[in-house]
Amino acid sequence: MEAHFKYSCVDFFMTLFGVGSFFFDLGADIWSAGEFYLDGDYHWLGLQLSLIFLSSILVHIFSWIWFNNDTLEPGFKPETRTEGWMVKYGFVFHIVQLGLPLRYIVAIELGSMALKGDQSGHAIYRTCDLSMLRLFETFAESTPQLTLMVYIVIQNNKAENFLCVKIALCLFAITGSVVDYHRSMRSFVPEKNKLGYSSSVVYFLSSVVYFLWNLLLIAPRVGAVALFTSIFPPYIGLHFLLLWAWAQHTDFMESGPGEWLYRAMVALIWYFSWFNVAEGRTMGRSLIYHTFMAADSGILLGTWYWYRVPLVTDHYVLPLLLALLASYLLGLLLKVTYYKLFHPKIWQPLPETEESNLQMRCLFLSESSNSVDRDVDFRSGPTVYPSAVVVNKRMRTLANNFYSSASTPRNLNLNEIEMVNL
């Protein structure tokens, strides 16, 4: 029986990429903070340090909750010395904000073992958690910092070298986290580990398109918020998104307070980019989201245009507005292209037990004989998921939400298989 989850050299490279981007971003934070201090811009320094500190606390709360829950699972045992230290002193490490760096060390250790044929499932498990934590860190720190740096450039009407570097590194962090998150979700697609040359090209192109539409939609949003803030700094727009996140009735965390925190994180991500958190078809929700974001960004830009200082902004206002509009429209076009050409639509959630494996095999076999209304784009045949595979349930939940085109009952009776095909 072939394992569904395989750790590859690409997974190990992405882990190293995450470590490198983490330390590059840390170095850029220290450099920009030092420049603000030397220039006497203590208010910018305070804002930047607040974003760094608050986002670090938020990410480490998620990290500790997940790691603590993992250690309570039956049969859990640390696989490396560093992971053993985290089991013993994990709370202290997370309090002093060292939980994420230690997670990277554990991921590198497990990745090295997996490339030699050991602990592949455990390595995938840890890298999946890291991909989610990086995504959360990006939208809690890098994206707000990107907005702040663009705002400072607008206010000063000039771009210092360290601001340009920081803006580039923030975009680099967004790039890395979005691509890594997409790669982690694709680990749960049945065909991911059976890719031939042509399918590998499709997989690569899907990652490129996924990254581009996210970047092209995030950029005009950041620009709109930064421009509006340059006129009216106190702006609060999370209330609607927070209520909508609560209305999705997510069930991601294992405790009530944890779920509240997760929904607040979802609302923060939604402020800049779409993030699917609920099962079933997402076209309606996505349409509502993009309609709201387009209207909100239009109001921000219109308000800025009305109250701007013409003498200062006339030389760039038209090219800037056209660039933001073109970026948003191209991002929407690429998003539609991704969902039409590259997005695998899996109509059955990933199974959890051996009985579900048998159900899934029968469903695939039965569906393959029915030529009507096929809904899986990249399926080559029946796939069996071994029950012994270590599976990251958190990422599996998000992958099911992202890839499932319809919700299917989990407790399916084998006698009802033919009804599924009707």
Side-chain angles (χ1 to χ4, degrees):
M1 185 179 293
E2 182 182 3
H4 176 52
F5 301 97
K6 293 181 180 178
Y7 192 88
S8 66
C9 293
V10 175
D11 296 310
F12 189 70
F13 171 78
M14 290 303 295
T15 300
L16 296 178
F17 175 84
V19 174
S21 63
F22 176 83
F23 284 105
F24 269 112
D25 190 52
L26 179 62
D29 287 337
I30 295 173
W31 182 26
S32 56
E35 291 291 338
F36 286 141
Y37 178 80
L38 294 175
D39 292 342
D41 294 325
Y42 301 122
H43 51 301
W44 300 140
L45 174 63
L47 279 174
Q48 184 192 25
L49 294 180
S50 297
L51 289 173
I52 295 171
F53 184 66
L54 292 175
S55 65
S56 180
I57 291 177
L58 180 63
V59 171
H60 277 83
I61 289 175
F62 279 110
S63 177
W64 167 244
I65 291 175
W66 295 346
F67 188 82
N68 187 54
N69 288 341
D70 291 343
T71 60
L72 299 178
E73 290 288 333
F76 172 85
K77 63 182 182 70
E79 301 295 341
T80 69
R81 179 178 298 179
T82 307
E83 195 170 35
W85 292 345
M86 289 188 69
V87 172
K88 292 181 180 179
Y89 312 110
F91 182 74
V92 176
F93 285 134
H94 282 82
I95 285 292
V96 298
Q97 308 299 292
L98 291 178
L100 201 58
L102 284 177
R103 274 184 175 272
Y104 277 118
I105 295 175
V106 170
I108 291 174
E109 291 175 340
L110 291 173
S112 301
M113 295 166 60
L115 292 178
K116 299 175 183 176
D118 252 350
Q119 302 299 332
S120 179
H122 202 63
I124 287 287
Y125 193 106
R126 292 300 174 211
T127 55
C128 283
D129 269 354
L130 270 176
S131 72
M132 282 191 286
L133 291 172
R134 275 191 75 197
L135 188 76
F136 289 178
E137 183 185 38
T138 292
F139 286 98
E141 178 188 338
S142 298
T143 311
Q145 275 204 76
L146 175 61
T147 307
L148 175 62
M149 299 304 160
V150 173
Y151 167 77
I152 294 173
V153 170
I154 295 171
Q155 282 289 86
N156 296 340
N157 203 28
K158 65 177 180 179
E160 302 285 351
N161 289 335
F162 74 94
L163 291 175
C164 294
V165 171
K166 184 58 184 174
I167 289 173
L169 286 177
C170 285
L171 289 172
F172 181 76
I174 295 170
T175 303
S177 66
V178 168
V179 172
D180 189 41
Y181 177 71
H182 180 257
R183 178 200 57 82
S184 293
M185 287 194 297
R186 286 297 289 250
S187 298
F188 291 83
V189 177
E191 291 69 27
K192 187 262 185 183
N193 295 308
K194 295 185 177 182
L195 297 174
Y197 174 76
S198 60
S199 296
S200 298
V201 172
V202 171
Y203 173 58
F204 173 76
L205 289 176
S206 72
S207 297
V208 172
V209 175
Y210 183 84
F211 155 67
L212 286 176
W213 73 253
N214 275 279
L215 185 63
L216 290 172
L217 291 178
I218 290 172
R221 178 61 178 175
V222 169
V225 174
L227 288 170
F228 178 86
T229 309
S230 67
I231 303 297
F232 299 107
Y235 173 70
I236 300 175
L238 286 175
H239 53 281
F240 172 80
L241 297 174
L242 182 57
L243 292 174
W244 196 28
W246 185 259
Q248 301 304 307
H249 303 293
T250 59
D251 188 22
F252 185 75
M253 305 292 284
E254 296 186 11
S255 66
E259 196 64 33
W260 271 93
L261 187 64
Y262 171 69
R263 292 175 184 178
M265 186 70 237
V266 169
L268 179 59
I269 294 175
W270 277 347
Y271 193 66
F272 295 100
S273 181
W274 171 249
F275 182 62
N276 194 24
V277 296
E279 289 184 2
R281 298 184 182 275
T282 61
M283 182 178 295
R285 291 194 295 269
S286 183
L287 183 61
I288 293 173
Y289 171 81
H290 285 296
T291 301
F292 170 79
M293 294 301 287
D296 187 63
S297 296
I299 292 172
L300 298 183
L301 290 173
T303 305
W304 169 78
Y305 184 84
W306 184 261
Y307 288 98
R308 67 190 172 89
V309 181
L311 186 63
V312 178
T313 60
D314 272 349
H315 64 287
Y316 67 78
V317 60
L318 185 58
L320 176 62
L321 293 178
L322 289 177
L324 294 178
L325 178 61
S327 176
Y328 190 79
L329 293 178
L330 183 57
L332 289 178
L333 178 62
L334 286 176
K335 182 173 182 178
V336 172
T337 301
Y338 171 84
Y339 277 95
K340 287 292 184 181
L341 300 181
F342 300 109
H343 187 71
K345 297 183 285 290
I346 307 301
W347 49 269
Q348 169 71 17
L350 289 170
E352 301 184 25
T353 65
E354 195 62 41
E355 180 182 359
S356 297
N357 296 339
L358 178 60
Q359 293 173 5
M360 181 64 77
R361 171 183 279 277
C362 294
L363 285 171
F364 277 145
L365 288 172
S366 179
E367 194 276 344
S368 63
S369 65
N370 187 352
S371 60
V372 180
D373 196 24
R374 291 176 180 266
D375 201 27
V376 179
D377 296 333
F378 304 121
R379 187 172 67 242
S380 57
T383 303
V384 178
Y385 302 87
S387 58
V389 172
V390 179
V391 178
N392 190 313
K393 295 180 180 179
R394 290 180 286 271
M395 183 57 77
R396 180 179 57 194
T397 297
L398 293 176
N400 278 334
N401 293 340
F402 186 68
Y403 289 118
S404 296
S405 62
S407 182
T408 306
R410 294 183 183 272
N411 299 322
L412 184 67
N413 190 308
L414 292 177
N415 295 327
E416 298 174 351
I417 289 177
E418 292 185 4
M419 296 178 62
V420 176
N421 290 311
L422 296 179

